[in-house]
Each structure stands twice: as C-alpha cells, then as structure tokens.
Amino acid sequence: MHEAEIITDTNSKNSDSEYRVHRVGTITTGLCFVAFGILFLLHTLLGLFTYEMIMSLWPIILIALGVEVLLTNICSKRFVYDKAGVFMMVIMGFFSMGMALADICIKHAEFYM
C-alpha cells in the first residue's frame, strides 16, 4: 500500500512546516474490502445473503468514495487521488460479479442439462 506523503512547505517562513497528503480512495477501498468480504463470507458459510443482493449494493462504493472526496476536500489542506485504490475497487467489482455469475450458473446448470 501507499504511505501518506509528507510535504514540506518551502514557501513558509518556518522550515519545519510539514503536513500529510491524504490519498483519497484508500479509506474507501479498505472499508469496501472489509464490508464485501464479510458479506461474501456470510453468504458462503451461513447462506444469509444472495449474490444478487450483494451485487445490488455496488452503489455503496460510489457513495463512500464521494463522501471521502467531500470530507477530504473540506478537512485536508492537500490530497491526491489513490489511483491504485480506485483500480482495486474496480477489480473487486468485476471479481465479485464473476463469482456471482459462476454461482448462478452452477446452481442452474442442472435445469439446462
């Protein structure tokens, strides 16, 4: 993972003026991995959720990323977008859709055979 960058403000009279640069997307990526991992685990072990229900929650990723961007813009002096985090969320979405499709095909395969 990326570590937060520390920027030294050279324009400031105080040479010790440093602040962290927040990478937008890292918190959202972590939370989405944890949340969707728990949902898939509960589906696998206990059958509490269906893949269709889990897949219908994908807009939560966009909402969480939007909230993180807004909060970072308000609270932080400087931020950059974590392109690797956003890329991982896209990969996670495609992986989970593929797993859901495979599960649906396996469950309905005997109907078509």
Side-chain angles (χ1 to χ4, degrees):
M1 288 290 164
H2 301 287
E3 291 185 24
E5 297 174 14
I6 297 181
I7 304 297
T8 303
D9 189 3
T10 56
N11 296 332
S12 175
K13 293 179 183 178
N14 185 1
S15 63
D16 294 333
S17 176
E18 294 181 349
Y19 54 92
R20 291 179 57 158
V21 176
H22 176 74
R23 292 186 176 274
V24 175
T26 54
I27 295 171
T28 303
T29 303
L31 289 175
C32 288
F33 275 133
V34 170
F36 280 96
I38 289 171
L39 290 173
F40 282 120
L41 183 66
L42 290 174
H43 168 76
T44 304
L45 296 178
L46 305 174
L48 294 177
F49 303 105
T50 63
Y51 281 123
E52 292 84 9
M53 195 279 303
I54 296 172
M55 290 294 89
S56 67
L57 296 175
W58 70 267
I60 291 175
I61 296 172
L62 298 176
I63 294 167
L65 188 59
V67 168
E68 185 177 356
V69 167
L70 290 173
L71 289 176
T72 302
N73 193 21
I74 292 169
C75 299
S76 182
K77 293 180 181 178
R78 183 149 165 95
F79 65 92
V80 294
Y81 290 100
D82 187 6
K83 294 171 188 79
V86 174
F87 177 73
M88 289 302 295
M89 284 190 287
V90 170
I91 294 297
M92 180 179 65
F94 282 124
F95 174 76
S96 54
M97 284 187 276
M99 292 300 293
L101 181 64
D103 186 57
I104 291 168
C105 290
I106 289 170
K107 286 181 180 177
H108 298 295
E110 60 191 41
F111 176 75
Y112 293 108
M113 293 185 149

